[in-house]
Amino acid sequence: MVTLKKFDNGFAYIEIQNLNAVAKIALQGAHIFEYKRSNGEDILWLSDKSDFEEGKAIRGGVPICWPRFGSFDSALPPHGFARTMLFTFLGAKEIDEGRTVVSFKLQDNPQSREIWEYKFELEVNFIIGDTLEIELKTTNKDDKEFMITQALHSYFNVSEINNVKILGLEDKPYLDTLTNKEELQKGEIFFDKEVDRVYQDVKNEIVLADNLKELHLNAVGSSSAIVWNPWIDKCARMSAMDKEAYREFVCIESANAQEDFRIVCAGESHALNLTIE
Ligand code: BG6
């Protein structure tokens, strides 16, 4: 079942229910902010303090950072503008009783052209089932090429940050954005301080291990990933976040970031696909 719903302030989202899962996706940003499996697993973290207000990014779920990841480009807002723009809901289709495809689209508009001159189409397709699949497809509708960096900025629920390990990034080079130094990952990643890193050469599965549970992330069209947890001090400074919230989530973001930027030629497309299982 697919239903258009609204919060009291008019903020609209699509709710999808099938045999395997329930999901909620806001029209603003084509932003999935809930994905619960019917076995009770609540995969995506969402801040209790998250705003559902037009023009403000939702804190949690999977924000779409586009056409920039980060804030390296002064003309554009941090993580780009897609996450605060209203997408068009293209429709939904049930593949079977347990899997539903849902699609959204954003096109260039006067507001986007003011800060980013290009004509584009950004399609976001979800498959909601016992796995969650997200496709981010950029099409260049202009007559000149453009460059994008982007990320599916997934916030994952964890039992407690001290229990978490990330596997699959061993021996990968990364930029530590806290020190601005290039490093090499030694062993698995665990958390006992702020972590904010952009990994490169990521062409394999990443595993989020939390006690005995595991989530497996596979991305296509991407060879970079960001691992982020704000830890105590940054968490206390962040908008729409409780001061203890850093204990409850970790971000693993499948991306085209830094040297993994993509040039999209006129008339061509680039797709970034992520499967979470
Ligand atoms: C991560 C960055 O991707 O996003 C962090 O690596 C940043 O540095 C975080 O703090 C959250 O960003 P924002 O803009 O949603 O507060």
Side-chain angles (χ1 to χ4, degrees):
M1 200 164 66
V2 177
T3 325
L4 172 67
K5 293 198 166 176
K6 285 186 180 173
F7 290 111
D8 289 346
N9 63 359
F11 192 96
Y13 63 95
I14 306 290
E15 186 177 274
I16 301 103
Q17 279 192 35
N18 59 35
L19 274 188
N20 286 321
V22 175
K24 293 179 182 167
I25 306 171
L27 292 187
Q28 178 177 291
H31 190 145
I32 184 163
F33 59 93
E34 187 176 300
Y35 168 58
K36 279 188 189 155
R37 293 183 177 148
S38 22
N39 64 5
E41 284 174 344
D42 189 2
I43 304 296
L44 301 175
W45 180 81
L46 175 67
S47 172
D48 295 338
K49 289 195 166 169
S50 192
D51 295 307
F52 289 97
E53 247 178 75
E54 255 178 55
K56 280 193 180 177
I58 298 167
R59 177 69 70 202
V62 186
I64 288 172
C65 306
W66 190 95
R68 289 292 180 272
F69 164 78
S71 52
F72 314 109
D73 202 324
S74 55
L76 294 170
H79 288 334
F81 52 77
R83 63 178 175 166
T84 51
M85 280 196 177
L86 213 54
F87 281 60
T88 306
F89 173 49
L90 295 179
K93 203 173 111 195
E94 283 175 4
I95 306 173
D96 54 43
E97 288 185 322
R99 281 185 307 158
T100 312
V101 187
V102 202
S103 303
F104 299 84
K105 187 169 87 176
L106 179 71
Q107 280 175 303
D108 56 284
N109 53 64
Q111 213 189 332
S112 75
R113 284 193 297 270
E114 218 167 87
I115 47 177
W116 205 58
E117 63 185 287
Y118 305 98
K119 291 189 190 136
F120 67 86
E121 200 172 87
L122 179 62
E123 238 189 87
V124 189
N125 301 306
F126 296 87
I127 301 180
I128 309 296
D130 55 350
T131 63
L132 171 62
E133 293 174 47
I134 309 177
E135 178 183 56
L136 190 55
K137 187 175 167 200
T138 302
T139 302
N140 184 337
K141 293 277 182 186
D142 217 314
D143 52 13
K144 52 189 176 299
E145 66 179 32
F146 58 61
M147 185 275 282
I148 54 166
T149 56
Q150 59 180 350
L152 292 167
H153 190 314
S154 315
Y155 286 78
F156 293 109
N157 266 325
V158 298
S159 59
E160 155 65 41
I161 192 69
N162 295 321
N163 298 335
V164 170
K165 278 183 204 158
I166 296 175
L167 316 170
L169 294 171
E170 297 83 349
D171 304 321
K172 306 285 184 198
Y174 68 86
L175 176 73
D176 186 331
T177 55
L178 303 172
T179 58
N180 216 20
K181 282 192 182 150
E182 300 282 348
E183 311 273 359
L184 209 60
Q185 179 62 40
K186 295 186 193 75
E188 58 207 16
I189 304 170
F190 58 91
F191 299 85
D192 57 2
K193 58 176 185 290
E194 183 177 352
V195 169
D196 199 345
R197 302 174 183 169
V198 184
Y199 287 84
Q200 297 293 340
D201 298 345
V202 185
K203 293 183 181 106
N204 52 289
E205 179 170 271
I206 300 178
V207 179
L208 166 58
D210 176 11
N211 280 334
L212 295 175
K213 281 194 188 159
E214 285 187 353
L215 271 188
H216 293 243
L217 314 183
N218 281 287
V220 177
S222 148
S223 61
S224 50
I226 293 89
V227 174
W228 177 59
N229 180 282
W231 211 248
I232 302 167
D233 293 345
K234 183 162 176 177
C235 184
R237 293 196 303 271
M238 290 197 70
S239 63
M241 219 186 250
D242 260 336
K243 72 183 201 337
E244 293 290 311
Y246 73 96
R247 293 174 173 277
E248 302 167 359
F249 75 86
V250 66
C251 283
I252 307 175
E253 310 168 35
S254 303
N256 295 120
Q258 292 178 345
E259 55 248 60
D260 185 28
F261 68 86
R262 300 295 162 122
I263 302 288
V264 188
C265 294
E268 295 191 354
S269 299
H270 169 67
L272 163 55
N273 290 71
L274 170 66
T275 305
I276 301 168
E277 52 197 318

